[in-house]
Amino acid sequence: MPAQRKASIRELSTAARELDAGVAEGELHRDPETGQWLVGDTRLDAWLERYAGEKVVLIALSLDDERPLPTKVCRTCGADYRGAYCPRCRQARIRLRGY
């Protein structure tokens, strides 16, 4: 997997954790004995139970995906970049606003 893609996925999962969201990371597989879906050692049915009755957003990203990130053009400064944020504008925002 391209390092930039993996870094973007890690950044997204870190942002989710900072929002106190549930994040499960590991290999997705079925338990051969019970037929239950697991991510690593986490049973998905039990993990999702805490969100029962709520509106949720589920995002699944493969860490094995080999596709490169698409190049984007920043709407603010016009720079080409890859990833979730324009690094030039993000650096300026952090410098000026502190976040």
Side-chain angles (χ1 to χ4, degrees), residues 60-72:
L61 296 165
S62 172
L63 289 172
D64 296 328
D65 191 340
E66 293 296 329
R67 293 177 295 163
L69 290 175
T71 301
K72 301 176 192 175

Side-chain angles (χ1 to χ4, degrees), residues 30-36 38:
R30 276 191 188 261
D31 185 330
E33 296 174 8
T34 64
Q36 293 181 333
L38 295 109

Side-chain angles (χ1 to χ4, degrees), residues 32-70:
E33 296 174 8
T34 64
Q36 293 181 333
W37 283 104
L38 295 109
V39 173
D41 294 329
T42 304
R43 290 184 17 224
L44 286 182
D45 59 337
W47 184 75
L48 290 170
E49 183 63 34
R50 62 183 156 173
Y51 301 105
E54 297 181 27
K55 291 182 180 181
V56 299
V57 174
L58 294 176
I59 299 172
L61 296 165
S62 172
L63 289 172
D64 296 328
D65 191 340
E66 293 296 329
R67 293 177 295 163
L69 290 175

Side-chain angles (χ1 to χ4, degrees), residues 5-39:
R5 184 177 191 87
K6 191 176 242 181
S8 291
I9 291 171
R10 297 272 187 228
E11 187 175 349
L12 178 62
S13 67
T14 298
R17 285 183 179 96
E18 288 173 356
L19 291 171
D20 201 24
V23 177
E25 187 175 331
E27 183 179 337
L28 176 65
H29 62 280
R30 276 191 188 261
D31 185 330
E33 296 174 8
T34 64
Q36 293 181 333
W37 283 104
L38 295 109
V39 173

